[in-house]
């Protein structure tokens, strides 16, 4: 085994710990130290998640439960009003549940580059009595010229497509908004993503501490906030 591979997990671990401390300076809401999901919302969301990975998608393809909890807590604590869900699926349900529970009129936009999975999401949302407006194909969404999102979850398509679309996703983020990049355990994708985030002048923070799942997956955050300015 190459030294690089051997060191990978300790490096991820320490980056996660260091970035957890850095993030506390960046986001004063300090949602990291609280329970990431309140018990009443857990009761509502977890059975739906379990059903989604069993009947519609799979554990490997759906967002992890850990990242779902993080996204919900982030949206709730920061009172997000305009959320972009790039890569439809359980995340589309989660953000709609947040918008309904928060009663803050949050707009949720879900996008997919795959018509089959977009329709699967539409059916799942309908079965769970969730709104299905603002579900779009990537090309339709592109023509809508939307921007200024305060939370973006970037989890769309293949890893190659995702890397290609990252600069587009960054361009849609409002200053101070939070871009959550899933699957950052994939080293080749992470390296491309880190380069694009840096080029755009954003900072990258690992949220491995909060999002690591049984499959070894975790997410990271890109934001224009810098802990040096906090
Ligand atoms: C990682 S998935 C997105 C997961 C989604 N955000 C969720 O919360 O479930 C990335 C892409 O794979 C496709 N996809 C979703 N579920 C799938 C499955 N079970 N098998 C194959 N492709 C899938 C969709 O086109 C989606 O954009």
């Amino acid at each position: 085994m190459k030294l690089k591979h051997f060191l990978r997990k300790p490096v991820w671990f320490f980056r996660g710990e260091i970035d957890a401390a850095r993030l506390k300076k960046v986001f004063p809401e300090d949602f990291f130290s609280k329970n990431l999901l309140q018990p009443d919302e857990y009761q509502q969301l977890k059975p739906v998640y379990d059903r989604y990975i069993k009947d519609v998608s799979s554990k490997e393809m759906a967002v992890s439960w850990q990242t779902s909890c993080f996204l919900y807590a982030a949206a709730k604590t920061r009172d997000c009003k305009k959320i972009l869900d790039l890569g439809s699926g359980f995340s589309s349900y989660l953000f709609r549940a947040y918008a309904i529970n928060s009663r803050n009129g949050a707009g949720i936009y879900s996008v997919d580059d795959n018509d089959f999975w977009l329709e699967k999401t539409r059916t799942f949302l309908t079965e769970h009595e969730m709104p299905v407006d603002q579900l779009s194909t990537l090309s339709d969404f592109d023509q809508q010229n939307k921007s200024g999102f305060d939370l973006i979850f970037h989890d769309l398509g293949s890893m190659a497509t995702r890397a290609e679309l990252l600069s587009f996703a960054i361009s849609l983020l409002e200053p101070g908004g939070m871009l959550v990049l899933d699957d950052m355990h994939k080293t080749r994708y992470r390296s491309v993503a880190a380069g694009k985030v840096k080029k755009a002048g954003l900072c990258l923070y690992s949220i491995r501490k909060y999002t690591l799942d049984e499959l070894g997956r975790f997410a990271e955050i890109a934001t224009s906030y810098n802990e040096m300015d906090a």
Side-chain angles (χ1 to χ4, degrees):
M1 188 192 278
K2 282 190 185 159
L3 183 65
K4 188 165 88 168
H5 292 153
F6 182 71
L7 289 176
R8 189 178 287 164
K9 282 194 180 163
V11 167
W12 284 343
F13 171 81
F14 284 113
R15 188 188 289 139
E17 292 297 312
I18 292 166
D19 283 2
R22 291 171 69 209
L23 274 169
K24 283 185 184 165
K25 295 186 190 160
V26 177
F27 294 111
E29 299 92 341
D30 198 17
F31 54 83
F32 304 104
S33 63
K34 293 182 195 150
N35 277 339
L36 282 181
L37 210 59
Q38 300 302 318
D40 52 337
E41 285 145 359
Y42 183 94
Q43 301 287 343
Q44 179 200 352
L45 298 170
K46 188 63 168 61
V48 184
Y49 179 79
D50 290 341
R51 212 172 305 136
Y52 184 79
I53 59 170
K54 180 171 164 283
D55 298 338
V56 182
S57 186
S58 63
K59 196 168 182 167
E60 291 74 17
M61 289 307 292
V63 59
S64 72
W65 175 244
Q66 290 82 346
T67 298
S68 301
C69 293
F70 181 88
L71 290 168
Y72 194 96
K76 183 174 163 178
T77 317
R78 308 192 78 222
D79 192 31
C80 291
K81 300 259 173 28
K82 197 170 174 190
I83 298 178
L84 179 58
D85 167 40
L86 285 173
S88 75
F90 180 75
S91 51
S92 314
Y93 174 90
L94 182 85
F95 288 132
R96 283 166 177 75
Y98 154 73
I100 289 169
N101 291 339
S102 68
R103 296 198 192 98
N104 67 354
I108 313 296
Y109 299 80
S110 296
V111 179
D112 215 302
D113 64 340
N114 182 314
D115 291 349
F116 175 79
W117 284 103
L118 192 64
E119 286 317 304
K120 286 269 220 190
T121 300
R122 190 186 304 281
T123 304
F124 186 74
L125 293 175
T126 306
E127 282 169 2
H128 291 83
E129 298 178 352
M130 286 289 171
V132 289
D133 56 328
Q134 291 163 179
L135 267 185
S136 319
T137 61
L138 186 58
S139 51
D140 285 348
F141 177 76
D142 194 24
Q143 284 172 8
Q144 292 167 19
N145 288 320
K146 299 264 188 259
S147 62
F149 291 93
D150 45 14
L151 177 60
I152 300 178
F153 181 45
H154 191 41
D155 192 31
L156 182 142
S158 68
M159 298 319 290
T161 305
R162 215 180 292 180
E164 209 174 295
L165 285 174
L166 182 52
S167 300
F168 173 62
I170 290 172
S171 74
L172 305 178
L173 193 65
E174 78 165 14
M178 188 190 271
L179 171 62
V180 178
L181 305 171
D182 207 6
D183 298 316
M184 290 292 265
H185 64 291
K186 299 200 177 201
T187 47
R188 249 179 293 167
Y189 172 65
R190 187 184 185 280
S191 147
V192 175
K196 292 199 174 191
V197 165
K198 191 172 174 196
K199 195 169 166 204
L202 303 184
C203 297
L204 191 61
Y205 299 91
S206 170
I207 47 169
R208 185 177 186 268
K209 184 169 177 167
Y210 310 104
T211 59
L212 181 64
D213 78 348
E214 313 74 46
L215 303 174
R217 304 179 296 175
F218 59 86
E220 300 197 3
I221 287 176
T223 178
S224 56
Y225 278 146
N226 185 328
E227 85 273 17
M228 306 305 269
D229 306 328

